[in-house]
Amino acid sequence: MITVIMKNIMIPLNQIFDLLLLLTILLSVSPESVSGHDNGRNINICPERERQALLKFKSELTDFYGRLSSWGTGENKMECCKWRGVRCDNRTNHVVRLNLRGPAISLNYVLAGNPVKDKLQYPAAPLTGKISSPLLELKHLTYLDLSSNYFDPRFPEFICSLTELHYLNLSHAGFKGPIPQCVGNLSKLLYLDLSGFYGFYGKSLDWVVQLHSLEYLDLSFVDLHEVTNWLQPISKLSSIKKLYLINCSLHDIPYSLPSINASAPLEILDFSLNQLSYNITSLIYWLPNYSRSLKWIDFSFNMDLDDPNPYHLVHMTPHTHVHPFGNGSNLIYLGLRGNLLVGQLSQLMMSLFGPLGTKLRYLDLSTNMLNGSLPDMSRFSFLTQLKLNNNYLSGFVSKDLLQLPHLRVLDLSDNQIMGPVPDLSFCSSLKELYLYKNMFNGTLTESIGRLSELEVLSIQFNRLEGVITEAHMLNLSRLRILDISFNLFLDIKFDHLWVPPFQLQRIRLTRCNIGPRFPTCLRTQNEVMYLDISNTDISDTIPKWFGELSPNLLYLNASNNKLYGVFPNISVSTHKPGVSVYLLPMKSQDFGVILDISRNRISSSLTFLCHITSWSLIDLSDNMLSGKLPNCFASFEKLEYLNLANNNLFGTIPYLFGALQGLKWLVLRNNSLSGIIPKALSNCTSLQIIDLGQNRLTGNIPTWVGRSFRMITVLSLRSNEFTGSIPLSLCGLTELKILDLSSNKVSGAIPKCIWNLSAMTKKYHKFDLFSSQVLGFLAFSVMGDDYSNFASMYTYLSSVYLRWKGNEVKYSNSYGLLVNLIDLSCNTLSGEIPDELTKLVGLHALNLSRNNLTSHIPHNIALLNSLQSLDLSWNHIWGSIPTGLSNLDSLGVLNLSYNNLSGKIPPQMLKFDESSYMGNPLLCGRPILNRSCPVDDETHGDLDFNNVKSNVEHEENEFITQGFYISLAFGFIFGFWVIIGTIIANESFRYAFFKTTIVAEDHVHLVVVLLKNRLKKRWFSKS
């Protein structure tokens, strides 16, 4: 045998020839052959039966976008293993994976019934249609994901026959009805997700027991309220690692908890948003059975809303000396938010964790009823997030309690903590700090400036004082959100040449002292999206650069200052970057730009608004703006709220306002607008508040108002020059709560159909002020805990001025003012007060004063038992005062003066003074002084007019008092001596006076003698 020796390695020569031959063969094989191709044909094609099954499955679906366009019968589509979402086994070519997961981002759009046509806006629409049984041909299928689509609601039970499945995800797929028990047949499942739509429910979880290998189970949002003893089958899942039962209406945990397999590898347990409030304690102390593996527990928001007194059920009392998450626990996440937990925080921490430190990284005990002071948290040295907000914690917080080097989020907001803000410089990793809504006082420590990783600083609504300078912001180069608002004694004094080291995206300095100069440090904040410097004592001109502050600006509030001059043109980008929920109170994709510069001294025209078309809210009220309403308003397609009240605007309401079809609030009060209300405004069918009061508008009240504005809540046209009668169509405004047509020239009768204003037939609680549509809109728009910020933004926007209890007040939703009001005063209305008016039992104020009404007060007026103010003065109303009026306990203001009322004032109405009845001469009884009624008035109810006349004469002589006689005496003396003195001092006057006296005396004497003789003749002639 011939051999080759190479560095002590001996290889036979024949083996070398074999190796060279093999190498030659390998090099001759083409890349296409290696990949399974031969002259363009796929060698590894899936079985024809499975390909046909997939095509039949596709035929039952509706594919808006063409996600399954690669599935077909064409020559270039024969290889089903390359179809989108399909995967085959590399060895057998059988279909083993089918992944048709849909795009959750566009799912809500389709659920609303909107077809997806715009492929650019919705690049991956969900599939709809029926899940059909041809999938049964895929007998080797191990992976099936149909989630985030919108299929027919009937659950496809044939899936239970796909027994080779290891992975099944049907979440958010549109299925409704019961979970079939046959799901338990899928005994090889490792992963099962049936979470998602409301309407999917289960009556039993016994089928879970058969899934011995199951490691992941998610039944979130599946209604399990009918499932009894649900914990028993769950506890038998010996392989489970991750278990999610979020918002399943779980309740009724037995007092005797089931035994479980201590070797179960459970790591994540999420029972949040259920009704386990009084069982939380039992569950927590049951969990040590899993203590070796549990890393994540979330029991947040387990409040039984049907429990009339849940507070006594959730005390966290220790169970002997057991600390479920004490030393040795692997727990890193514990969420117990919103469970009405009662007790001291320090005792709870000791009960759960014991005296030693743990591996805990995330702790959320917020939104409970925990009290006491903050315990020493430094032993939890691995903590990265600590959330204790919205409790009743008190006392002081020293830096020794928070020696947490890894802490990234600290939230102590909405408590009652006092004292100075602690030095947190030891928490060098801190990124988010929330201390708002407490009682922190004193000066803000400059150590805050050493938190170089800080991104969020939120310390609003405290009692901080002193001065904040650039020293507090020295190293905060990563800061993105700064909110120090509502610290009323805090001064912010930055050097006007200072350039901040950060680029803020949200700035809120409301109710701090910044002025009088405009803060120049804002000029460098080119990334700001949210800016609120309202109520900050700024008294300065508006700089020109302010209009181009940031191309990303979405919210600007500079209201309640003393800004003056011309407002610069505003310019923002139409393309907005992604917005964090921390930055804005609104979802940016649903809301446009917000501007509030109300209550200042700005004197420009409105043309500065015309450079942006994406306005959603504009409040320029209470300024000195002048000029006409510009036509560019027609391009504000997103505009929903507009308040231009209390300015110097003139001209007509533009016809182009009709293009604002999304407009909800329109307030143009107290300007000099003239002309008629344009008919084009009838296109704004979403309007809910219209206040055009105190202008110079003319013409009739349009009849289309009642047909177009079906959602309107407030209609105020007061103090204009409207004529004609009240349109009957106004009776169709079923959501109307305020109707103010006062101080116009409206004539005719009050429509009897007024009782159709059905919103005034309901009795509302304090916070039921606006229609359900408005409340629903706000609930959808507001993000998280930022509602208070949004509320302050529209505090004055929705305000409407009205006459309330004799005074002009502001009707505003922000204070929950409860008003259902009709004000038709100061017109020329005639006829009767319709009895139908008394059907508006939710009415709180009715003002019909200063008209020409000529009827009696409706006898059934007592039905208006919510009435607080009634003014019928200065009319021609006759008859008696109905005794039922005295039964209105809530009535606080009554004015019936200057009418033709008669009879006795009901004795129960003595709480109203005489001014309520004056000008009715035929009324009698208290409280009208010295005008008592006859004794038999109580029996017969008829008025003795002789006595009334006597009383009236007596009332007319009430001015004859002691002062009257003294004045009379002084007047007589003064007048007497003026005349007598003149006669004595002037001889000619004296001669004339006595001559006249003698002539008068002779004339009187002659008359007396003649009269005497005449009487004698008559006497003697009779005798």
Side-chain angles (χ1 to χ4, degrees):
M1 178 181 293
I2 301 174
T3 61
V4 177
I5 302 174
M6 297 175 58
K7 292 186 179 180
N8 300 325
I9 299 177
M10 298 176 60
I11 302 176
L13 187 60
N14 61 338
Q15 292 184 12
I16 292 177
F17 286 130
D18 292 341
L19 289 173
L20 290 174
L21 179 61
L22 178 61
L23 181 60
T24 302
I25 295 173
L26 290 175
L27 290 175
S28 66
V29 178
S30 66
E32 290 79 5
S33 299
V34 175
S35 61
H37 288 74
D38 184 11
N39 297 326
R41 292 183 292 110
N42 190 353
I43 298 175
N44 299 322
I45 299 177
C46 67
E48 181 63 18
R49 292 181 61 183
E50 296 183 10
R51 192 177 73 87
Q52 291 297 328
L54 289 173
L55 290 175
K56 291 179 181 179
F57 170 72
K58 175 189 175 182
S59 67
E60 298 285 342
L61 301 178
T62 302
D63 183 8
F64 286 111
Y65 180 69
R67 288 168 51 196
L68 305 183
S69 58
S70 62
W71 297 26
T73 57
E75 184 177 353
N76 60 342
K77 298 181 180 181
M78 297 296 293
E79 303 164 3
C80 67
C81 292
K82 288 192 173 184
W83 290 353
R84 180 176 178 177
V86 179
R87 294 293 179 270
C88 300
D89 184 271
N90 292 331
R91 185 173 56 85
T92 65
N93 299 328
H94 287 295
V95 176
V96 292
R97 287 172 63 96
L98 183 58
N99 185 356
L100 300 181
R101 176 190 291 266
I105 56 171
S106 62
L107 185 59
N108 291 331
Y109 179 83
V110 177
L111 293 183
N114 301 308
V116 177
K117 297 179 180 179
D118 188 346
K119 298 181 180 181
L120 295 178
Q121 185 177 3
Y122 299 100
L127 299 171
T128 61
K130 179 182 178 183
I131 303 296
S132 56
S133 58
L135 285 183
L136 287 174
E137 294 294 334
L138 309 181
K139 300 182 182 300
H140 301 276
L141 197 65
T142 61
Y143 184 105
L144 178 59
D145 190 342
L146 302 177
S147 62
S148 297
N149 288 290
Y150 193 47
F151 300 117
D152 289 353
R154 183 178 178 85
F155 188 90
E157 295 192 21
F158 66 84
I159 289 180
C160 299
S161 300
L162 299 175
T163 55
E164 297 297 318
L165 282 177
H166 293 171
Y167 181 105
L168 177 60
N169 190 345
L170 302 178
S171 64
H172 300 280
F175 299 126
K176 297 181 180 180
I179 299 176
Q181 297 292 308
C182 67
V183 176
N185 297 338
L186 304 176
S187 57
K188 295 183 180 181
L189 275 180
L190 303 177
Y191 184 107
L192 176 61
D193 190 345
L194 301 178
S195 63
F197 283 86
Y198 292 100
F200 209 18
Y201 64 91
K203 294 185 177 181
S204 171
L205 290 181
D206 292 340
W207 53 270
V208 174
V209 180
Q210 304 173 51
L211 306 179
H212 305 291
S213 303
L214 196 64
E215 298 178 356
Y216 181 105
L217 176 61
D218 191 347
L219 299 179
S220 300
F221 296 93
V222 176
D223 187 357
L224 301 177
H225 82 277
E226 294 186 18
V227 180
T228 58
N229 199 17
W230 55 270
L231 194 58
Q232 186 73 36
I234 292 294
S235 63
K236 294 182 179 180
L237 294 173
S238 57
S239 301
I240 194 71
K241 293 182 179 180
K242 299 178 181 180
L243 176 60
Y244 298 93
L245 298 177
I246 304 170
N247 199 5
C248 295
S249 301
L250 297 175
H251 56 90
D252 295 338
I253 292 179
Y255 288 102
S256 177
L257 295 175
S259 59
I260 56 178
N261 188 348
S263 62
L266 185 64
E267 297 178 357
I268 297 177
L269 179 63
D270 195 335
F271 286 173
S272 58
L273 294 169
N274 282 288
Q275 300 171 15
L276 304 174
S277 57
Y278 89 97
N279 297 297
I280 289 293
T281 303
S282 301
L283 274 177
I284 287 178
Y285 286 99
W286 177 69
L287 291 174
N289 296 287
Y290 288 121
S291 61
R292 295 179 183 177
S293 57
L294 263 176
K295 296 180 180 179
W296 182 297
I297 297 175
D298 195 345
F299 289 163
S300 299
F301 292 107
N302 269 279
M303 294 181 287
D304 189 352
L305 300 180
D306 296 327
D307 194 321
N309 183 24
Y311 301 101
H312 67 285
L313 302 175
V314 289
H315 286 269
M316 295 297 297
T317 53
H319 285 215
T320 63
H321 297 290
V322 176
H323 305 298
F325 313 121
N327 189 28
S329 170
N330 290 312
L331 191 70
I332 62 173
Y333 183 108
L334 178 61
L336 296 176
R337 181 183 185 189
N339 285 299
L340 296 177
L341 299 179
V342 179
Q344 290 198 356
L345 176 61
S346 57
Q347 294 181 359
L348 173 61
M349 297 298 293
M350 181 63 68
S351 173
L352 293 178
F353 302 102
L356 303 177
T358 69
K359 299 178 181 178
L360 193 67
R361 296 180 183 178
Y362 181 103
L363 176 62
D364 189 350
L365 298 175
S366 61
T367 317
N368 283 290
M369 303 180 69
L370 300 172
N371 54 47
S373 58
L374 183 71
D376 185 2
M377 303 299 297
S378 299
R379 59 194 174 100
F380 302 97
S381 57
F382 294 98
L383 264 181
T384 59
Q385 295 195 41
L386 176 60
K387 298 183 178 181
L388 302 175
N389 53 294
N390 199 15
N391 279 286
Y392 294 95
L393 302 180
S394 57
F396 297 82
V397 177
S398 66
K399 63 179 182 180
D400 298 331
L401 302 178
L402 293 168
Q403 301 286 314
L404 301 170
H406 302 290
L407 192 65
R408 301 179 63 185
V409 177
L410 175 61
D411 193 344
L412 301 178
S413 62
D414 210 350
N415 280 286
Q416 300 171 7
I417 302 173
M418 59 186 65
V421 174
D423 182 351
L424 298 173
S425 55
F426 190 84
C427 303
S428 56
S429 301
L430 197 62
K431 290 182 177 293
E432 299 176 18
L433 177 59
Y434 304 96
L435 302 178
Y436 62 88
K437 289 187 180 179
N438 277 286
M439 294 186 287
F440 287 110
N441 52 32
T443 59
L444 183 65
T445 172
E446 290 187 2
S447 65
I448 206 84
R450 294 196 289 270
L451 299 174
S452 58
E453 299 294 320
L454 197 64
E455 297 177 1
V456 179
L457 177 58
S458 182
I459 54 176
Q460 68 269 27
F461 290 99
N462 278 287
R463 301 176 182 178
L464 298 176
E465 56 190 31
V467 180
I468 290 183
T469 66
E470 51 268 25
H472 292 84
M473 309 287 168
L474 190 60
N475 295 315
L476 304 183
S477 59
R478 297 179 181 269
L479 196 64
R480 293 294 177 266
I481 299 174
L482 175 63
D483 194 340
I484 54 180
S485 57
F486 291 93
N487 285 282
L488 305 184
F489 304 104
L490 190 62
D491 295 332
I492 301 175
K493 303 298 179 184
F494 296 139
D495 189 280
H496 70 283
L497 297 177
W498 177 60
V499 178
F502 42 70
Q503 280 292 329
L504 296 175
Q505 294 177 322
R506 173 179 173 133
I507 307 172
R508 191 163 184 246
L509 307 176
T510 310
R511 298 299 295 272
C512 295
N513 301 316
I514 297 178
R517 297 183 61 180
F518 201 93
T520 57
C521 60
L522 294 177
R523 186 171 188 173
T524 61
Q525 301 304 300
N526 301 321
E527 297 180 9
V528 66
M529 299 180 185
Y530 179 109
L531 174 61
D532 191 342
I533 52 173
S534 61
N535 229 320
T536 51
D537 292 328
I538 300 175
S539 179
D540 201 352
T541 57
I542 305 172
K544 293 182 179 180
W545 53 262
F546 193 53
E548 299 180 353
L549 178 62
S550 169
N552 301 324
L553 192 64
L554 288 172
Y555 179 101
L556 173 58
N557 189 347
S559 62
N560 262 316
N561 284 293
K562 298 177 182 178
L563 298 173
Y564 55 88
V566 177
F567 201 89
N569 294 335
I570 298 180
S571 177
V572 299
S573 173
T574 56
H575 173 72
K576 303 297 179 186
V579 181
S580 168
V581 296
Y582 299 104
L583 298 180
L584 296 171
M586 297 288 186
K587 293 181 179 179
S588 62
Q589 64 268 29
D590 300 318
F591 227 69
V593 182
I594 296 170
L595 175 66
D596 186 355
I597 52 174
S598 59
R599 297 172 298 285
N600 279 287
R601 301 173 183 175
I602 300 168
S603 56
S604 60
S605 67
L606 297 178
T607 55
F608 70 89
L609 298 172
C610 296
H611 299 273
I612 301 177
T613 61
S614 55
W615 296 111
S616 63
L617 184 151
I618 299 174
D619 189 352
L620 307 180
S621 60
D622 297 278
N623 278 286
M624 296 185 288
L625 300 170
S626 58
K628 297 182 178 181
L629 298 175
N631 290 330
C632 65
F633 274 87
S635 61
F636 300 165
E637 295 181 356
K638 289 187 176 182
L639 189 62
E640 298 187 6
Y641 311 98
L642 177 63
N643 189 349
L644 302 177
N646 303 320
N647 281 288
N648 301 317
L649 303 173
F650 58 85
T652 61
I653 300 175
Y655 187 85
L656 294 175
F657 261 45
L660 304 177
Q661 297 186 16
L663 197 63
K664 291 182 170 65
W665 294 343
L666 176 61
V667 182
L668 303 177
R669 178 186 62 251
N670 193 20
N671 282 284
S672 298
L673 300 174
S674 57
I676 64 172
I677 301 176
K679 190 177 187 305
L681 205 61
S682 63
N683 296 327
C684 305
T685 55
S686 298
L687 274 170
Q688 297 168 354
I689 290 181
I690 301 178
D691 186 357
L692 305 179
Q694 294 174 272
N695 281 286
R696 300 174 185 174
L697 299 175
T698 57
N700 294 339
I701 299 173
T703 57
W704 47 260
V705 170
R707 296 191 295 269
S708 300
F709 302 146
R710 292 297 184 177
M711 299 172 61
I712 196 168
T713 303
V714 176
L715 176 61
S716 178
L717 304 178
R718 64 186 299 238
S719 300
N720 278 285
E721 299 176 14
F722 290 111
T723 56
S725 60
I726 300 176
L728 296 179
S729 61
L730 292 188
C731 298
L733 301 177
T734 56
E735 298 295 326
L736 194 64
K737 296 185 178 181
I738 289 184
L739 175 61
D740 191 347
L741 306 180
S742 62
S743 300
N744 280 284
K745 300 176 182 178
V746 180
S747 58
I750 300 174
K752 292 187 177 182
C753 63
I754 198 169
W755 66 273
N756 288 322
L757 301 178
S758 55
M760 299 188 190
T761 65
K762 303 172 184 177
K763 298 180 180 180
Y764 292 90
H765 297 291
K766 182 175 182 181
F767 297 105
D768 291 332
L769 180 60
F770 288 100
S771 64
S772 59
Q773 292 93 336
V774 178
L775 291 176
F777 170 79
L778 294 179
F780 177 78
S781 301
V782 176
M783 299 295 292
D785 296 328
D786 206 31
Y787 176 79
S788 62
N789 299 344
F790 173 66
S792 65
M793 177 264 296
Y794 66 83
T795 294
Y796 290 90
L797 179 73
S798 62
S799 61
V800 177
Y801 283 88
L802 47 84
R803 299 289 296 180
W804 172 253
K805 298 185 178 181
N807 300 306
E808 187 175 74
V809 297
K810 184 181 294 183
Y811 166 83
S812 175
N813 68 311
S814 57
Y815 298 105
L817 181 61
L818 178 62
V819 173
N820 285 336
L821 176 143
I822 295 178
D823 191 346
L824 306 178
S825 62
C826 300
N827 282 286
T828 56
L829 296 173
S830 57
E832 63 180 10
I833 302 175
D835 290 338
E836 289 80 2
L837 194 64
T838 60
K839 295 181 180 181
L840 305 180
V841 295
L843 197 62
H844 298 99
L846 175 63
N847 191 348
L848 304 178
S849 64
R850 298 183 183 273
N851 280 286
N852 296 320
L853 300 175
T854 55
S855 67
H856 60 275
I857 301 174
H859 295 296
N860 53 353
I861 197 169
L863 296 176
L864 301 179
N865 52 15
S866 298
L867 204 61
Q868 300 180 31
S869 177
L870 176 63
D871 191 345
L872 304 178
S873 62
W874 293 96
N875 279 284
H876 306 289
I877 300 173
W878 50 268
S880 60
I881 299 175
T883 56
L885 198 59
S886 61
N887 297 328
L888 301 180
D889 298 330
S890 60
L891 191 63
V893 173
L894 175 66
N895 192 350
L896 304 177
S897 62
Y898 298 100
N899 280 287
N900 298 320
L901 297 172
S902 60
K904 184 177 181 180
I905 299 173
Q908 297 89 346
M909 301 182 66
L910 299 181
K911 63 179 180 179
F912 303 108
D913 59 25
E914 186 177 6
S915 63
S916 298
Y917 309 103
M918 64 171 42
N920 291 280
L922 300 183
L923 279 180
C924 64
R926 296 179 62 189
I928 299 178
L929 298 177
N930 301 316
R931 196 191 293 178
S932 59
C933 294
V935 176
D936 61 344
D937 181 59
E938 297 181 1
T939 305
H940 302 93
D942 296 324
L943 189 64
D944 186 342
F945 287 97
N946 292 326
N947 288 337
V948 171
K949 181 178 179 180
S950 174
N951 290 335
V952 171
E953 292 175 352
H954 180 72
E955 181 178 353
E956 292 174 350
N957 290 329
E958 285 181 350
F959 71 95
I960 304 177
T961 60
Q962 183 178 3
F964 168 78
Y965 288 111
I966 294 174
S967 301
L968 182 63
F970 278 110
F972 175 81
I973 295 172
F974 178 79
F976 176 82
W977 283 109
V978 167
I979 297 174
I980 298 302
T982 302
I983 294 173
I984 295 174
N986 192 306
E987 183 177 356
S988 59
F989 280 171
R990 184 169 62 251
Y991 175 78
F993 174 78
F994 284 112
K995 183 178 180 180
T996 303
T997 303
I998 294 171
V999 172
E1001 181 180 0
D1002 291 340
H1003 180 73
V1004 171
H1005 178 71
L1006 177 61
V1007 171
V1008 170
V1009 171
L1010 292 175
L1011 181 60
K1012 181 178 179 182
N1013 291 332
R1014 187 178 299 172
L1015 291 174
K1016 284 183 178 181
K1017 288 180 181 180
R1018 288 185 179 180
W1019 176 261
F1020 286 115
S1021 63
K1022 289 182 179 180
S1023 59

